[in-house]
Amino acid sequence: MSHLIRIFLVLVMLLIGVAVAAMFFDDSGYVMVEFNGWVVEMNVWSLSLSLIAIFVGFMLINLLVKTSLAAASGSKSWLGNLGNRKKQKAFTAGLIALAETNYLIARENFNKIENDDFDGINLLAAAEAEKQLGQPEQAKSYWRLAATYEKSTLAANLCLIRDALQHHLPDEAMTLIRGLNQKQQAQPPVLKLWAQALGQAGKWQELKDNLKGWKKALGNDYELFMQQASKGHFAEIASKEGAGQLKENWQSLPRSTRKDPAQQAAYIQQLIDQGMNTDAELALVEYQSSAPHPLLIPLFKLIKLPNPAASIKKLEAWLKQDSLNVELLSALGHIAFNANDKQLAEKALAKAIKLGNRREDLVLMASIKESQDDQKQALQLYKQSMGTD
């Protein structure tokens, strides 16, 4: 519209100029143009109108060309936007089908955009669909492709590492982890998988050494991994050098290590596995002199002694301060049962079941009822245990 306005203003100004000049001089003028044998004669009015017509013509042609180019460009853009909408529609439909567990439909939609750039997210989704459809190799292929995109490389590698661990290939998992950059390796999900890989590979000492620097990143998982690593390490010592060497090795460790509940739990577990229940009981009581610890309390259930007086005394003292503690009641019931004190076991388990209704307590109580020839109550307890976690 601005072009047309400018043309109109120029035309008006020229016509006004010619009209004023003709009126002022009272002469229409004369112009002759000769070119290559052609002769054109006209007055000033005709020349002005011709020039104006030529100028307007050029302006109109210029406007027409620009409009045509803009239209062509707009068509191209429109076609491109149409293609992008179709791709986005397939991507969205695939994600929805994946969430709805319609994996075949998800696969169909993701196949349409396999070669398109969605920062690798479409490939991750396609891999999940293939995994759910029982096509692990195709899923791995998609994960490897997704790993080539900067934004999805960590997620894709995490999937590949988990897949290797699920198939008990710890060396492959560690190779993938070591292929990550330092920033990626320091991510908590990577460190957790790294710890699992070292555990699967039986590299207990390496796992223990690494866990010292991973403690903050692993958070609550640290104690579980340290317990696993220590247990594996102590089991190696016991199997190769005997239980006596196990005790000597433990005593030679730094005080800070022997005060670590995760390592204490692993050591006591190994004592129990070696049949050294007396030593295990003494350690349990000693290491919990001030307060009970969640990692150590369950180990009371594994002690098998005819007279675990120290353990029972300690558990009963804690229960006086916290009579509704299900873990303590359960531990007391199990250790009393192992000592053949069924009266104490039944009393403690009855209260634990009332408060917690846990399977292990229900099964043990059912066993006590069976020994008392109370088959009806035993059967009821067994049925009740089947409906619990």
Side-chain angles (χ1 to χ4, degrees), residues 352-368:
I353 290 170
K354 184 177 179 180
L355 293 170
N357 196 41
R358 299 186 304 182
R359 179 176 297 171
E360 59 175 348
D361 297 330
L362 289 165
V363 171
L364 188 59
M365 179 66 90
S367 179
I368 293 174

Side-chain angles (χ1 to χ4, degrees), residues 14 61 66 77 114 123 132 168 184 190-191 198-199 221 262 264 277 297 308 330 347 349-350 368 387:
L14 287 173
I61 291 172
K66 288 184 177 181
S77 175
E114 180 178 337
L123 299 172
Q132 296 297 332
H168 302 284
Q184 292 169 340
V190 176
L191 294 179
L198 289 170
D221 291 323
Q264 290 174 347
N277 285 274
I297 292 174
S330 178
K347 180 181 177 182
L349 288 171
I368 293 174

Side-chain angles (χ1 to χ4, degrees), residues 137-152:
E137 291 304 316
Q138 184 60 40
K140 289 173 69 174
S141 177
Y142 279 128
W143 285 326
R144 292 190 186 102
L145 283 174
T148 63
Y149 289 82
E150 182 180 355
K151 292 185 179 180
S152 60

Side-chain angles (χ1 to χ4, degrees), residues 320-335:
K320 285 181 180 179
Q321 301 175 8
D322 187 5
S323 61
L324 302 180
N325 191 309
V326 177
E327 288 291 346
L328 295 175
L329 288 166
S330 178
L332 179 59
H334 280 75
I335 197 171

